[in-house]
Amino acid sequence: MRAPVLLLSLALLSPALAHGQAFVHPGILLDAPALQATRDALRAGDPLKTSAMAAMRQSPLASLEHVATPFARVECGSFDKPSIGCKPERDDAKAAYTHALLWAYLGEEAHARKAVEIMDAWATTLTGGHANSNAPLQASWTAQLWTRAAELIRHTSTAWPEADARRFGDWLIAQYLPDIDRMGPCPGGNWHASGIEARMNMGIYTDRRDIHDRAVADWHTRLPTYI
């Protein structure tokens, strides 16, 4: 997705963005009515939804045999040179979200448990954050996915103890937010768009209105530069 298009779509990421209102969960990208609409479409045999579901289930990311490979510190240079944990982190975040979606749409608890397994593995291992020139972008990319997965599992299943779900939110703020905030004003717009989405998501997941609203303010600042 091109950065300007992503920026224009950021306002739709949460069903409850009005200033001062409590967040409605699940509320990152997909809310309860959207999830139910897809479930209904799948049951009705909607060809677009059923073909997409078939493709997702065939993906290696959807395998219940997926084993997370967390790193204590992720180092990503330009074009992944060097690349220490970069692809594993991205793949595991994608896998967690894939399993969260499969749980949310199909109700197969094994997928919820797999998403929890992947997220807990990283949340108990990554303690050194992200390093090198692409650290802010790597942190943004993966935080976008971790939060989508975590929001679905925490608020639609019983597979994740609440204490562990809260710990995951604290971990995101400690290990990702500082790296995203190091981005500064110079990187390209796709970096900023990714960072804005990641911070909005983190604010929603952790019920931190301050984090969310600061990201929204940055969105309002950046958007005119594209138009």
Side-chain angles (χ1 to χ4, degrees):
M1 182 180 292
R2 293 182 179 179
V5 177
L6 178 57
L7 280 169
L8 286 168
S9 66
L10 283 172
L12 303 177
L13 290 175
S14 169
L17 295 182
H19 182 73
Q21 290 184 357
F23 293 118
V24 177
H25 301 286
I28 296 175
L29 199 61
L30 296 168
D31 60 7
L35 292 169
Q36 189 59 50
T38 297
R39 293 187 198 108
D40 293 343
L42 288 169
R43 280 196 290 268
D46 178 275
L48 182 62
K49 295 290 196 301
T50 53
S51 63
M53 175 57 70
M56 181 162 63
R57 299 204 75 164
Q58 291 170 7
S59 168
L61 297 172
S63 171
L64 290 171
E65 302 304 314
H66 181 94
V67 177
T69 53
F71 283 68
R73 181 173 182 265
V74 174
E75 182 174 355
C76 307
S78 298
F79 302 102
D80 276 359
K81 295 179 181 180
S83 177
I84 302 173
C86 307
K87 188 175 186 300
E89 184 184 30
R90 293 194 296 267
D91 286 348
D92 283 345
K94 292 174 188 175
Y97 186 41
T98 299
H99 285 286
L101 287 172
L102 288 168
W103 150 254
Y105 291 143
L106 303 177
E108 296 176 1
E109 190 174 351
H111 290 292
R113 292 196 300 267
K114 177 57 69 170
V116 168
E117 175 188 307
I118 296 168
M119 291 188 288
D120 282 348
W122 275 89
T124 55
T125 302
L126 180 69
T127 58
H130 303 77
N132 218 304
S133 59
N134 269 29
L137 185 59
Q138 173 78 12
S140 298
W141 280 344
T142 49
Q144 290 172 23
L145 294 165
W146 289 131
T147 46
R148 293 180 198 176
E151 181 81 352
L152 286 178
I153 296 300
R154 185 178 189 180
H155 297 289
T156 68
S157 83
T158 59
W160 212 5
E162 180 58 23
D164 293 346
R166 286 197 304 269
R167 178 189 65 190
F168 193 79
D170 294 340
W171 171 74
L172 288 169
I173 290 173
Q175 299 298 321
Y176 290 79
L177 187 58
D179 295 325
I180 296 169
D181 285 342
R182 288 194 288 112
M183 191 176 295
C186 295
N190 63 314
W191 285 48
H192 285 287
S194 297
I196 287 168
E197 181 182 347
R199 290 184 289 125
M200 286 175 64
N201 291 2
M202 276 191 272
I204 294 168
Y205 180 73
T206 60
D207 285 304
R208 286 281 302 272
R209 174 65 64 175
D210 58 320
I211 295 174
H212 172 272
D213 287 357
R214 183 163 60 90
V216 172
D218 288 346
W219 173 69
H220 284 291
T221 298
R222 297 296 302 182
L223 184 59
T225 67
Y226 290 100
I227 298 176

